[in-house]
mmCIF file of all heavy atoms in Angstrom:
data_model
loop_
_atom_site.group_PDB
_atom_site.id
_atom_site.type_symbol
_atom_site.label_atom_id
_atom_site.label_comp_id
_atom_site.label_asym_id
_atom_site.label_seq_id
_atom_site.Cartn_x
_atom_site.Cartn_y
_atom_site.Cartn_z
ATOM 1 N N LEU A 12 -4.765 3.160 -3.088
ATOM 2 C CA LEU A 12 -3.877 3.346 -1.952
ATOM 3 C C LEU A 12 -4.661 3.969 -0.811
ATOM 4 O O LEU A 12 -5.502 4.834 -1.034
ATOM 5 C CB LEU A 12 -2.711 4.275 -2.327
ATOM 6 C CG LEU A 12 -1.779 3.760 -3.421
ATOM 7 C CD1 LEU A 12 -0.792 4.846 -3.813
ATOM 8 C CD2 LEU A 12 -1.057 2.522 -2.961
ATOM 9 N N PRO A 13 -4.382 3.558 0.417
ATOM 10 C CA PRO A 13 -5.078 4.176 1.547
ATOM 11 C C PRO A 13 -4.601 5.617 1.721
ATOM 12 O O PRO A 13 -3.462 5.951 1.387
ATOM 13 C CB PRO A 13 -4.669 3.314 2.740
ATOM 14 C CG PRO A 13 -3.376 2.697 2.326
ATOM 15 C CD PRO A 13 -3.451 2.536 0.837
ATOM 16 N N THR A 14 -5.475 6.468 2.202
ATOM 17 C CA THR A 14 -5.109 7.857 2.490
ATOM 18 C C THR A 14 -5.434 8.151 3.944
ATOM 19 O O THR A 14 -6.358 7.575 4.511
ATOM 20 C CB THR A 14 -5.881 8.850 1.593
ATOM 21 O OG1 THR A 14 -7.275 8.640 1.756
ATOM 22 C CG2 THR A 14 -5.509 8.667 0.136
ATOM 23 N N PRO A 15 -4.670 9.047 4.530
ATOM 24 C CA PRO A 15 -4.936 9.393 5.924
ATOM 25 C C PRO A 15 -6.191 10.257 6.037
ATOM 26 O O PRO A 15 -6.641 10.850 5.052
ATOM 27 C CB PRO A 15 -3.696 10.185 6.328
ATOM 28 C CG PRO A 15 -3.210 10.777 5.054
ATOM 29 C CD PRO A 15 -3.538 9.767 3.989
ATOM 30 N N ASP A 16 -6.757 10.320 7.225
ATOM 31 C CA ASP A 16 -7.854 11.250 7.460
ATOM 32 C C ASP A 16 -7.280 12.660 7.369
ATOM 33 O O ASP A 16 -6.147 12.906 7.758
ATOM 34 C CB ASP A 16 -8.459 11.025 8.855
ATOM 35 C CG ASP A 16 -9.200 9.697 8.939
ATOM 36 O OD1 ASP A 16 -9.689 9.224 7.898
ATOM 37 O OD2 ASP A 16 -9.276 9.141 10.046
ATOM 38 N N GLY A 17 -8.041 13.576 6.840
ATOM 39 C CA GLY A 17 -7.562 14.948 6.717
ATOM 40 C C GLY A 17 -6.851 15.181 5.395
ATOM 41 O O GLY A 17 -7.068 14.474 4.417
ATOM 42 N N GLU A 18 -5.983 16.165 5.380
ATOM 43 C CA GLU A 18 -5.305 16.543 4.145
ATOM 44 C C GLU A 18 -4.213 15.538 3.764
ATOM 45 O O GLU A 18 -3.617 14.901 4.616
ATOM 46 C CB GLU A 18 -4.675 17.926 4.312
ATOM 47 C CG GLU A 18 -5.697 19.029 4.475
ATOM 48 C CD GLU A 18 -5.056 20.403 4.509
ATOM 49 O OE1 GLU A 18 -3.956 20.571 3.920
ATOM 50 O OE2 GLU A 18 -5.649 21.293 5.114
ATOM 51 N N PHE A 19 -3.966 15.432 2.469
ATOM 52 C CA PHE A 19 -2.887 14.598 1.961
ATOM 53 C C PHE A 19 -2.436 15.189 0.633
ATOM 54 O O PHE A 19 -3.130 16.017 0.041
ATOM 55 C CB PHE A 19 -3.323 13.131 1.792
ATOM 56 C CG PHE A 19 -4.406 12.927 0.772
ATOM 57 C CD1 PHE A 19 -4.086 12.613 -0.530
ATOM 58 C CD2 PHE A 19 -5.738 13.035 1.134
ATOM 59 C CE1 PHE A 19 -5.093 12.416 -1.473
ATOM 60 C CE2 PHE A 19 -6.741 12.840 0.205
ATOM 61 C CZ PHE A 19 -6.419 12.533 -1.105
ATOM 62 N N LYS A 20 -1.268 14.800 0.168
ATOM 63 C CA LYS A 20 -0.738 15.260 -1.110
ATOM 64 C C LYS A 20 -0.912 14.153 -2.139
ATOM 65 O O LYS A 20 -0.700 12.983 -1.853
ATOM 66 C CB LYS A 20 0.732 15.630 -0.989
ATOM 67 C CG LYS A 20 0.971 16.838 -0.118
ATOM 68 C CD LYS A 20 2.437 17.186 -0.078
ATOM 69 C CE LYS A 20 2.634 18.390 0.825
ATOM 70 N NZ LYS A 20 4.037 18.803 0.851
ATOM 71 N N LEU A 21 -1.271 14.544 -3.326
ATOM 72 C CA LEU A 21 -1.499 13.602 -4.416
ATOM 73 C C LEU A 21 -0.387 13.747 -5.443
ATOM 74 O O LEU A 21 -0.044 14.861 -5.839
ATOM 75 C CB LEU A 21 -2.852 13.889 -5.073
ATOM 76 C CG LEU A 21 -3.252 12.995 -6.228
ATOM 77 C CD1 LEU A 21 -3.481 11.573 -5.745
ATOM 78 C CD2 LEU A 21 -4.503 13.529 -6.874
ATOM 79 N N THR A 22 0.198 12.635 -5.858
ATOM 80 C CA THR A 22 1.224 12.629 -6.890
ATOM 81 C C THR A 22 0.719 11.762 -8.035
ATOM 82 O O THR A 22 0.237 10.659 -7.810
ATOM 83 C CB THR A 22 2.545 12.034 -6.358
ATOM 84 O OG1 THR A 22 2.969 12.823 -5.241
ATOM 85 C CG2 THR A 22 3.618 12.034 -7.412
ATOM 86 N N MET A 23 0.819 12.287 -9.239
ATOM 87 C CA MET A 23 0.390 11.515 -10.413
ATOM 88 C C MET A 23 1.609 11.060 -11.204
ATOM 89 O O MET A 23 2.566 11.814 -11.374
ATOM 90 C CB MET A 23 -0.496 12.371 -11.323
ATOM 91 C CG MET A 23 -1.845 12.655 -10.751
ATOM 92 S SD MET A 23 -2.901 13.562 -11.899
ATOM 93 C CE MET A 23 -2.906 12.503 -13.321
ATOM 94 N N ARG A 24 1.548 9.849 -11.674
ATOM 95 C CA ARG A 24 2.539 9.340 -12.609
ATOM 96 C C ARG A 24 1.801 9.051 -13.889
ATOM 97 O O ARG A 24 0.871 8.252 -13.911
ATOM 98 C CB ARG A 24 3.193 8.067 -12.083
ATOM 99 C CG ARG A 24 4.029 8.288 -10.865
ATOM 100 C CD ARG A 24 4.662 7.002 -10.431
ATOM 101 N NE ARG A 24 5.420 7.218 -9.203
ATOM 102 C CZ ARG A 24 6.009 6.254 -8.535
ATOM 103 N NH1 ARG A 24 5.920 5.012 -8.959
ATOM 104 N NH2 ARG A 24 6.672 6.517 -7.441
ATOM 105 N N ILE A 25 2.208 9.700 -14.957
ATOM 106 C CA ILE A 25 1.546 9.500 -16.244
ATOM 107 C C ILE A 25 2.553 8.836 -17.182
ATOM 108 O O ILE A 25 3.510 9.468 -17.619
ATOM 109 C CB ILE A 25 1.048 10.830 -16.838
ATOM 110 C CG1 ILE A 25 0.123 11.538 -15.849
ATOM 111 C CG2 ILE A 25 0.351 10.598 -18.171
ATOM 112 C CD1 ILE A 25 -0.343 12.909 -16.316
ATOM 113 N N TYR A 26 2.340 7.573 -17.469
ATOM 114 C CA TYR A 26 3.209 6.820 -18.358
ATOM 115 C C TYR A 26 2.629 6.873 -19.766
ATOM 116 O O TYR A 26 1.459 6.579 -19.974
ATOM 117 C CB TYR A 26 3.334 5.366 -17.898
ATOM 118 C CG TYR A 26 3.895 5.230 -16.496
ATOM 119 C CD1 TYR A 26 3.059 5.030 -15.410
ATOM 120 C CD2 TYR A 26 5.259 5.322 -16.279
ATOM 121 C CE1 TYR A 26 3.579 4.902 -14.122
ATOM 122 C CE2 TYR A 26 5.791 5.207 -15.002
ATOM 123 C CZ TYR A 26 4.942 4.984 -13.929
ATOM 124 O OH TYR A 26 5.450 4.868 -12.676
ATOM 125 N N ILE A 27 3.455 7.222 -20.717
ATOM 126 C CA ILE A 27 3.062 7.337 -22.117
ATOM 127 C C ILE A 27 1.761 8.161 -22.221
ATOM 128 O O ILE A 27 0.704 7.652 -22.610
ATOM 129 C CB ILE A 27 2.908 5.952 -22.792
ATOM 130 C CG1 ILE A 27 4.118 5.071 -22.493
ATOM 131 C CG2 ILE A 27 2.718 6.110 -24.294
ATOM 132 C CD1 ILE A 27 4.013 3.643 -22.992
ATOM 133 N N PRO A 28 1.824 9.443 -21.852
ATOM 134 C CA PRO A 28 0.613 10.266 -21.844
ATOM 135 C C PRO A 28 0.106 10.604 -23.237
ATOM 136 O O PRO A 28 0.864 10.600 -24.212
ATOM 137 C CB PRO A 28 1.071 11.535 -21.132
ATOM 138 C CG PRO A 28 2.524 11.618 -21.455
ATOM 139 C CD PRO A 28 3.004 10.186 -21.473
ATOM 140 N N LEU A 29 -1.170 10.860 -23.308
ATOM 141 C CA LEU A 29 -1.744 11.424 -24.524
ATOM 142 C C LEU A 29 -1.233 12.856 -24.635
ATOM 143 O O LEU A 29 -0.758 13.436 -23.653
ATOM 144 C CB LEU A 29 -3.270 11.406 -24.430
ATOM 145 C CG LEU A 29 -3.906 10.014 -24.348
ATOM 146 C CD1 LEU A 29 -5.403 10.135 -24.108
ATOM 147 C CD2 LEU A 29 -3.614 9.228 -25.607
ATOM 148 N N PRO A 30 -1.328 13.479 -25.797
ATOM 149 C CA PRO A 30 -0.807 14.846 -25.965
ATOM 150 C C PRO A 30 -1.340 15.831 -24.928
ATOM 151 O O PRO A 30 -0.592 16.671 -24.436
ATOM 152 C CB PRO A 30 -1.252 15.232 -27.380
ATOM 153 C CG PRO A 30 -1.334 13.928 -28.102
ATOM 154 C CD PRO A 30 -1.825 12.938 -27.074
ATOM 155 N N GLU A 31 -2.610 15.724 -24.550
ATOM 156 C CA GLU A 31 -3.147 16.668 -23.557
ATOM 157 C C GLU A 31 -2.484 16.505 -22.191
ATOM 158 O O GLU A 31 -2.429 17.443 -21.404
ATOM 159 C CB GLU A 31 -4.669 16.567 -23.438
ATOM 160 C CG GLU A 31 -5.192 15.202 -23.079
ATOM 161 C CD GLU A 31 -5.573 14.341 -24.265
ATOM 162 O OE1 GLU A 31 -5.088 14.574 -25.381
ATOM 163 O OE2 GLU A 31 -6.361 13.418 -24.067
ATOM 164 N N GLY A 32 -1.953 15.330 -21.890
ATOM 165 C CA GLY A 32 -1.248 15.116 -20.630
ATOM 166 C C GLY A 32 0.097 15.821 -20.570
ATOM 167 O O GLY A 32 0.661 15.998 -19.501
ATOM 168 N N LEU A 33 0.622 16.225 -21.719
ATOM 169 C CA LEU A 33 1.890 16.959 -21.777
ATOM 170 C C LEU A 33 1.681 18.465 -21.694
ATOM 171 O O LEU A 33 2.633 19.209 -21.509
ATOM 172 C CB LEU A 33 2.636 16.603 -23.062
ATOM 173 C CG LEU A 33 3.046 15.138 -23.194
ATOM 174 C CD1 LEU A 33 3.627 14.876 -24.565
ATOM 175 C CD2 LEU A 33 4.021 14.755 -22.112
#
Side-chain angles (χ1 to χ4, degrees):
L12 297 173
T14 56
D16 291 333
E18 294 185 27
F19 64 93
K20 293 182 181 182
L21 180 66
T22 301
M23 289 184 57
R24 293 181 183 175
I25 304 176
Y26 301 99
I27 312 174
L29 296 174
E31 57 266 22
L33 297 173

